[in-house]
Amino acid sequence: MAGTADFDLYRTSEEHDMLRDSVRSLAEAKIAPFAAEVDEQARFPQEARDALTLNDLHAVHVPEAYGGAGADALATVIVIEEVARVCASSSLIPAVNKLGSLPVILSGSEELKKKYLGPLAKGDAMFSYCLSEPDAGSDAAGMKTKAVRDGDHYVLDGVKRWITNAGVSEYYTVMAVTDPEKRSKGISAFVVEKSDEGVSFGAPEKKLGIKGSPTREVYLDNVRIPADRMIGAEGTGFATAMKTLDHTRITIAAQALGIAQGALDYAKGYVQERKQFGKPIGDFQGVQFMLADMAMKLEAARQLTYAAAAKSERISAGGKPEDLTFFGAAAKCYASDAAMEITTDAVQLLGGYGYTRDYPLERMMRDAKITQIYEGTNQVQRIVMARNLP
């Protein structure tokens, strides 16, 4: 039997802890100072992109074979979590780079991987994911965007909605119908480039939160692309899209964890400073109980998310199938619900100050809300969990 000091189950490795420390220092120095302004002006957090790219943290998941850092799924979670702790909008840079490129990693040809993962790893391009449409949200299989074969090309027509980082990203993984008779089995995946003729973007959505991350419609008007830009075989796009979400829902859980941790940290500091009735409000039991509940929910969410990330990594490394679909949905659902509760309570702990833009908590509360909605609403996550009970 190993000594207790060596009992490493349920403990992050030293490398993961060191990564957290370095990302936290970077985020506090280079990203946090711009977070309020990015939100206020609803502008892309270019400072964050520059800092993340300079430190090779913008797309850590890209395998080393394609010039990437080759970070494991838990390391990717930690990067996103630590960036989200200071600025949720900025955390969507590493998160959506993974979401957009994972279909290529999972199902793409070697040529596609070399062509698109290299520039992503270098920081020359970002990747977005185009699944949702105006009439196909939770029912993604009901999409209308079509791709018609024309010799050694496909011609794409349609509209994609709610596309994160649209207009900033160079590359787009687009799901389109190649055989309308087959519903989900008639959907294929393609890489579309921003520079392709016929690609354009709608006006940025005016959103409640994550205002620094542009969300726009992507218009595909007779976009003619080489047939070798199809990701995987024809008709496998929807399966690839769902497999991608099994892995990437964990990154949304990570984002929720970071937002919640930022809110808890701020509230914890505030209640030690703020005095009422002659003593810090943190000395009152009612406040202590709130903080205890916030910390408990956050830690439960973190353990679930890290367990899901470990499953994601083992599967990605070629391990036996695990209940990732359940765990990915559970982590995303639980962490985002917890983040909404924790940020709401953090605003409450600051009283009137929490409700003003002079303090970061109202931003964190607004940012937390989207984590319950995108990459599958939490109602859809519960359907996914029920169908995949371990």
Side-chain angles (χ1 to χ4, degrees):
M1 295 273 295
T4 50
D6 300 324
F7 191 75
D8 279 328
L9 284 175
Y10 304 104
R11 181 164 69 183
T12 49
S13 70
E14 194 179 344
E15 289 85 355
H16 287 105
D17 291 341
M18 285 165 59
L19 173 68
R20 181 189 303 284
D21 290 344
S22 65
V23 180
R24 181 167 291 195
S25 299
L26 176 80
E28 288 183 344
K30 303 288 187 190
I31 299 173
F34 302 100
E37 180 189 308
V38 159
D39 176 69
E40 197 75 36
Q41 297 177 3
R43 68 168 179 82
F44 183 75
Q46 189 60 43
E47 298 88 354
R49 183 184 180 183
D50 293 344
L52 291 169
T53 304
L54 193 63
N55 291 275
D56 206 14
L57 294 167
H58 61 290
V60 290
H61 68 286
V62 177
E64 289 176 0
Y66 307 103
D72 60 64
L74 180 55
T76 307
V77 157
I78 289 169
V79 169
I80 293 164
E81 183 184 348
E82 288 302 324
V83 176
R85 181 175 162 270
V86 301
C87 178
S89 293
S90 298
S91 72
L92 283 161
I93 295 170
V96 176
N97 276 337
K98 179 167 182 175
L99 174 64
S101 64
L102 197 60
V104 175
I105 294 171
L106 291 173
S107 307
S109 65
E110 197 54 38
E111 292 72 33
L112 274 189
K113 289 177 185 174
K114 283 184 181 140
K115 181 172 182 182
Y116 291 110
L117 298 178
L120 174 64
K122 282 212 289 274
D124 294 342
M126 283 169 45
F127 234 116
S128 288
Y129 183 80
C130 300
L131 178 64
S132 296
E133 296 185 3
D135 295 318
S138 292
D139 177 18
M143 68 178 66
K144 307 263 192 326
T145 296
K146 60 182 195 292
V148 178
R149 184 84 191 224
D150 180 21
D152 54 2
H153 287 75
Y154 278 90
V155 179
L156 277 65
D157 276 286
V159 179
K160 293 294 179 179
R161 182 170 280 177
W162 311 123
I163 309 308
T164 305
N165 292 340
V168 181
S169 293
E170 284 295 324
Y171 305 144
Y172 299 81
T173 291
V174 175
M175 307 298 160
V177 177
T178 42
D179 186 344
E181 303 297 307
K182 293 185 179 168
R183 196 160 155 81
S184 66
K185 290 186 168 58
I187 291 170
S188 305
F190 301 86
V191 179
V192 171
E193 298 181 13
K194 180 180 171 181
S195 57
D196 288 334
E197 197 175 334
V199 175
S200 61
F201 305 97
E205 302 287 351
K206 296 184 171 84
K207 304 190 300 283
L208 175 72
I210 56 161
K211 293 183 178 183
S213 176
T215 306
R216 304 166 76 171
E217 287 190 327
V218 176
Y219 304 125
L220 305 159
D221 184 18
N222 243 9
V223 178
R224 190 179 171 81
I225 61 170
D228 62 11
R229 289 225 222 129
M230 180 181 277
I231 302 169
E234 187 169 307
T236 62
F238 194 76
T240 297
M242 294 303 104
K243 198 195 287 188
T244 296
L245 292 175
D246 282 347
H247 292 277
T248 59
R249 280 177 177 144
I250 300 162
T251 68
I252 302 305
Q255 187 185 41
L257 290 181
I259 297 168
Q261 186 70 61
L264 177 58
D265 290 348
Y266 198 92
K268 205 165 62 176
Y270 179 86
V271 300
Q272 287 161 359
E273 302 291 321
R274 171 71 170 166
K275 289 189 170 65
Q276 290 287 277
F277 307 103
K279 57 181 176 179
I281 61 171
D283 288 356
F284 292 101
Q285 193 178 61
V287 168
Q288 290 171 356
F289 281 7
M290 282 177 75
L291 287 166
D293 279 340
M294 291 157 77
M296 175 176 65
K297 287 172 193 165
L298 177 55
E299 201 44 56
R302 182 172 282 118
Q303 297 296 333
L304 180 55
T305 302
Y306 287 12
K311 287 175 186 288
S312 167
E313 184 57 32
R314 287 193 292 269
I315 289 169
S316 299
K320 64 177 179 20
E322 296 192 43
D323 43 4
L324 177 63
T325 303
F326 174 86
F327 267 78
K332 188 269 190 198
C333 186
Y334 188 84
S336 59
D337 281 352
M340 199 65 234
E341 291 170 15
I342 291 164
T343 54
T344 304
D345 281 351
V347 167
Q348 188 72 18
L349 285 169
L350 264 71
Y353 294 117
Y355 206 67
T356 69
R357 292 214 293 256
D358 297 332
Y359 292 80
L361 292 177
E362 61 85 34
R363 180 184 83 240
M364 293 172 177
M365 182 178 166
R366 288 185 286 106
D367 288 343
K369 185 64 206 169
I370 192 61
T371 63
Q372 295 179 301
I373 297 170
Y374 59 13
E375 289 212 28
T377 67
N378 283 4
Q379 287 69 31
V380 165
Q381 303 310 323
R382 288 175 168 89
I383 295 170
V384 171
M385 282 186 270
R387 287 178 182 165
N388 294 277
L389 292 173

